[in-house]
Amino acid sequence: MTAVLSAEGLSKTFRTPFSRRQVRALDGLDLQVAAGEVFGLLGPNGAGKTTTVKILLGLTHPTSGRAELFGLPVSDPGSRRRVGYLPEGHRFPGYLTARQTLSVFGRMSGVSDSDLKARIPELLARVRLSDWGDVKVKRFSKGMTQRLGLASALVHRPDLLLLDEPTDGVDPVGRREIRDLLREEAARGTAVLLNSHLLSEIEATCDRVAVLRKGKAVAAGRIADLTAQGFAYRFVGAPMDEALLGLFRESGAAAERVNGHVKLTARDAAHLNALVDAARARGVLVTELTPLRSTLEDVFVDLVRAGETDEAGGTVITPPEEGRPR
Amino acid sequence: MKVLAANVEEVFREAAARWTLVAYAALSTLFIALFAAAVNLDVVDGALAGAKLFGKQLEMGPRSVDLDKLVLGFESGFSGFLYVVATFLAVFATAHLVPRLQEKGTIDLYLSRPVGRVPLLLSRYVGGLLLAGLNVVYLVGAMGLLIWWKTGVVHPRFFLGGAIILFTIATLMAFAFLVGVVTSSTAVSIMATFAVFFLAAILSGHRQIEAALATEWAAALVRGFYWVLPKTGQLAQATVDFVSGGQLSRHKVEIDYLAVFGTTGLFGLVSLALSALFFRRKDF
Ligand SMILES: Nc1ncnc2c1ncn2[C@@H]1O[C@H](COP(=O)(O)OP(=O)(O)OP(=O)(O)O)[C@@H](O)[C@H]1O
Ligand SMILES: [Mg+2]
């Protein structure tokens, strides 16, 4: 697995000129995304998601750390040759039509005029803006602008997509379409890094996620691993009497009746199998045994709440009061 | 090259969409029409039979006026006027280029492309300069052709005077870009550029100002400012002198052309280099 995108120890402290206020937006972030992978970056407002993406594109310079795209340092404009970016709250020049927008930005990514001729109608169809190709962007609704943004990010057939809240303002059907589009892109080998607050969407789209809080990754991994609840299972079978549950508890498992099924928590896989054997030995017909999961939202809220403060934004650093002349 | 073309195209599309192009052409045409109407020459068989300026018959006296000289005088006056008008129009038409580019949500779209920041900024500069250059060509060209048609007299020098005007525009535009990069404000760019234009014009009389100042350091300050800023006063005079071929110059103040063009060009280059440097360093 070769990483298309890799970052190590990224830190960023924003300093406001003429002020002592500093904000640590990123604090030693490591990140790797491989080809064909959809990676989700989650976190509360001001956690540093947009800052991360901007550093990866050379829009913001990191205070320390190293970031590379396709093995090239992000300070090299060439690293962006195969990258498509959809910025948060982007504003295309309102005087261009959708077609002109794709042409101007496509050429800036090095797409030839003849390629563009075929590519633009294809893209407009893909984001369902075929009827709007010759309309000025200033007449577009929010979701339409977002769709155009996605088309513009795809115009040069990039191998890495960096998308900052791609479905912001898009209707439910459009969101589903965008999700499908991202999975298609991933299937043909494109790496995708995605920021979003819509956790159900992340769950449906991403292979791996990282949760940022105050510029640090507080959790990272496959969604299935993050949401798994140890060896907790939903156990359904009959007959399920109190004696059996008592037997489970004696062996050290937790067992409780939850409307119609039993929530069973074992120590490990061997223990779980022993419990099933015991039930089978007593003539229980097992009909269901499924691992219990939290929703990504539960995990997210727990992680964010675990922080010392719920205040939005990065870590505000102000120098100590003492020693400051009055 | 593709990047440059895309940027230049965009600058022109924007100018067209924002009515800048229309206003530019309309104002320029208005100035030409005004001048054409103001000056009314009666040319009979290649000789001047009578001349009217703003509707008043000119006193021709017993000596016959040399038509060629009259046209030259007119062209010199017009280029002096053009020097100011074309420069102002150019600053107004291009000052927004950088602030608009740097807007939140827009700059991301440009910088995420595989284009270096300096080439991006410079291709916008080239786009702006082309826009302003086309206007100078239109103003000078239309006027020159009009004169030719009305009098049959052509002076190539008149057309070339436009080059000095364009040089001044290039310098001031570089400064407007610098202010634009630092402040991201179109209004501040325009104001600062005009401030430099007028301050520098006033400072062309720096010898007199210095003589009137009480302290040596104040005089040194004025002299310093004079040398650093573009020589907008002398360049206006240089434009007129160049077009008239020095034939009409009554105020015989010698211009050190090398110093005037050299220091002005340096001001433009330093402004452009600084704007590129700041633009590269900026966090968006
Ligand atoms: N240009 C800047 N100057 C100063 N501070 C900044 C700048 N950009 C971001 N910040 C600060 O950095 C922190 C992280 O911001 P960032 O935009 O990365 O958050 P985010 O995770 O994308 O949030 P959201 O979910 O609201 O989009 C915030 O505290 C923000 O105020
Ligand atoms: Mg954000």
Side-chain angles (χ1 to χ4, degrees):
Chain A
M1 176 170 110
T2 49
V4 165
L5 177 168
S6 77
E8 237 173 69
L10 280 191
S11 295
K12 176 68 190 180
T13 304
F14 285 106
R15 291 182 175 78
T16 320
F18 313 116
S19 152
R20 290 164 155 264
R21 191 184 166 93
Q22 298 184 2
V23 177
R24 189 178 299 137
L26 275 185
D27 194 358
L29 181 71
D30 298 330
L31 202 62
Q32 304 241 317
V33 181
E37 184 178 32
V38 183
F39 190 96
L41 209 49
L42 321 182
N45 293 133
K49 304 178 296 293
T50 299
T51 305
T52 305
V53 176
K54 285 190 171 182
I55 289 176
L56 291 170
L57 286 156
L59 274 156
T60 294
H61 309 292
T63 313
S64 64
R66 193 187 54 81
E68 284 180 358
L69 304 181
F70 303 101
L72 292 175
V74 294
S75 53
D76 179 351
S79 69
R80 299 190 279 282
R81 198 166 297 285
R82 291 151 65 196
V83 181
Y85 173 43
L86 178 70
E88 178 182 41
H90 57 79
R91 294 233 307 258
F92 283 106
Y95 46 86
L96 296 178
T97 65
R99 215 179 285 280
Q100 287 163 353
T101 303
L102 294 178
S103 161
V104 164
F105 287 100
R107 276 181 290 160
M108 286 181 67
S109 278
V111 185
S112 70
D113 287 346
S114 54
D115 275 358
L116 280 173
K117 218 169 244 151
R119 183 76 176 147
I120 291 175
E122 175 193 319
L123 273 174
L124 287 174
R126 200 156 174 205
V127 297
R128 304 217 183 282
L129 286 177
S130 290
D131 290 344
W132 296 86
D134 296 311
V135 177
K136 292 219 164 93
V137 174
K138 65 180 171 204
R139 310 211 192 288
F140 277 24
S141 74
K142 183 175 180 190
M144 286 162 72
T145 317
Q146 197 69 9
R147 286 159 185 260
L148 177 65
L150 198 61
S152 158
L154 291 168
V155 68
H156 51 300
R157 299 178 202 277
D159 295 318
L160 169 64
L161 281 171
L162 301 176
L163 310 172
D164 207 339
E165 306 190 21
T167 55
D168 188 25
V170 178
D171 60 55
V173 176
R175 282 216 285 267
R176 163 77 62 89
E177 285 167 2
I178 289 178
R179 219 153 63 204
D180 293 345
L181 189 149
L182 294 185
R183 293 293 350 169
E184 273 167 40
E185 287 294 321
R188 64 166 204 95
T190 309
V192 181
L193 178 72
L194 182 69
N195 280 358
S196 179
H197 290 297
L198 296 167
L199 298 176
S200 57
E201 209 165 278
I202 293 268
E203 272 188 294
T205 324
C206 296
D207 304 308
R208 277 198 307 143
V209 296
V211 181
L212 291 189
R213 192 182 66 215
K214 303 246 174 236
K216 286 190 185 133
V218 288
R222 308 188 65 80
I223 292 178
D225 298 340
L226 286 179
T227 52
Q229 298 183 339
F231 281 89
Y233 288 82
R234 174 190 159 96
F235 185 58
V236 185
M240 197 71 90
D241 50 22
E242 276 308 313
L244 178 64
L245 295 192
L247 201 71
F248 285 170
R249 290 189 191 112
E250 264 167 42
S251 78
E256 54 180 307
R257 241 180 241 287
V258 186
N259 46 41
H261 71 272
V262 171
K263 182 184 172 193
L264 192 59
T265 311
R267 277 191 307 273
D268 50 30
H271 187 198
L272 178 70
N273 280 284
L275 296 177
V276 175
D277 290 345
R280 295 281 300 128
R282 291 173 64 102
V284 174
L285 187 67
V286 179
T287 51
E288 184 184 341
L289 186 65
T290 42
L292 282 174
R293 296 191 179 284
S294 321
T295 60
L296 190 55
E297 187 177 272
D298 296 334
V299 175
F300 181 85
V301 171
D302 287 348
L303 281 168
V304 172
R305 289 257 170 87
E308 319 79 64
T309 133
D310 275 353
E311 188 74 18
T315 310
V316 178
I317 311 161
T318 26
E321 284 298 311
E322 59 268 14
R324 187 193 280 186
R326 304 245 152 204
Chain B
M1 214 50 219
K2 216 179 272 167
V3 172
L4 181 68
N7 270 288
V8 169
E9 176 191 321
E10 216 223 296
V11 167
F12 274 79
R13 276 199 199 288
E14 180 178 19
R18 284 158 49 95
W19 293 92
T20 323
L21 215 57
V22 177
Y24 223 172
L27 274 176
S28 307
T29 310
L30 186 75
F31 286 128
I32 292 168
L34 217 72
F35 260 81
V39 183
N40 217 328
L41 302 177
D42 258 341
V43 182
V44 179
D45 295 334
L48 193 64
K52 274 188 194 159
L53 190 61
F54 292 101
K56 263 177 75 182
Q57 189 73 34
L58 281 188
E59 207 53 64
M60 310 256 310
R63 298 182 294 130
S64 78
V65 175
D66 181 1
L67 176 64
D68 190 77
K69 205 151 188 178
L70 190 92
V71 169
L72 198 63
F74 170 74
E75 285 176 340
S76 314
F78 184 72
S79 24
F81 168 80
L82 206 61
Y83 175 86
V84 178
V85 169
T87 306
F88 275 39
L89 284 180
V91 170
F92 273 117
T94 59
H96 68 276
L97 285 177
V98 173
R100 278 283 287 250
L101 176 70
Q102 290 193 147
E103 267 175 27
K104 204 180 159 109
T106 301
I107 185 70
D108 312 61
L109 295 167
Y110 289 85
L111 291 187
S112 65
R113 302 289 159 178
V115 180
R117 291 191 183 194
V118 175
L120 176 66
L121 190 74
L122 290 185
S123 47
R124 296 236 133 193
Y125 180 77
V126 170
L129 204 57
L130 261 160
L131 187 67
L134 275 182
N135 187 54
V136 171
V137 167
Y138 173 62
L139 277 163
V140 177
M143 198 66 212
L145 290 177
L146 207 70
I147 291 169
W148 186 26
W149 173 52
K150 282 206 153 185
T151 67
V153 179
V154 199
H155 293 123
R157 276 203 307 273
F158 175 61
F159 296 98
L160 291 176
I164 303 181
I165 296 176
L166 202 56
F167 172 75
T168 312
I169 289 175
T171 306
L172 290 173
M173 230 176 82
F175 182 71
F177 264 52
L178 174 60
V179 180
V181 167
V182 174
T183 66
S184 291
S185 159
T186 306
V188 174
S189 299
I190 293 177
M191 287 191 281
T193 308
F194 284 169
V196 162
F197 184 90
F198 285 116
L199 186 64
I202 291 168
L203 285 176
S204 58
H206 68 110
R207 289 219 175 76
Q208 288 90 313
I209 300 173
E210 281 170 45
L213 287 172
T215 57
E216 179 49 39
W217 68 263
L221 194 72
V222 166
R223 197 175 316 124
F225 263 116
Y226 168 76
W227 282 111
V228 169
L229 293 180
K231 313 292 171 283
T232 49
Q234 276 85 349
L235 283 167
Q237 196 189 324
T239 310
V240 174
D241 284 356
F242 178 78
V243 170
S244 68
Q247 292 180 45
L248 301 169
S249 195
R250 260 164 273 114
H251 47 258
K252 261 296 163 210
V253 185
E254 268 310 311
I255 298 179
D256 181 351
Y257 282 102
L258 193 67
V260 165
F261 281 89
T263 55
T264 304
L266 195 66
F267 176 86
L269 281 179
V270 169
S271 298
L272 204 57
L274 282 179
S275 44
L277 189 75
F278 290 149
F279 189 61
R280 259 180 74 134
R281 288 232 191 116
K282 250 184 137 128
D283 273 340
F284 291 103

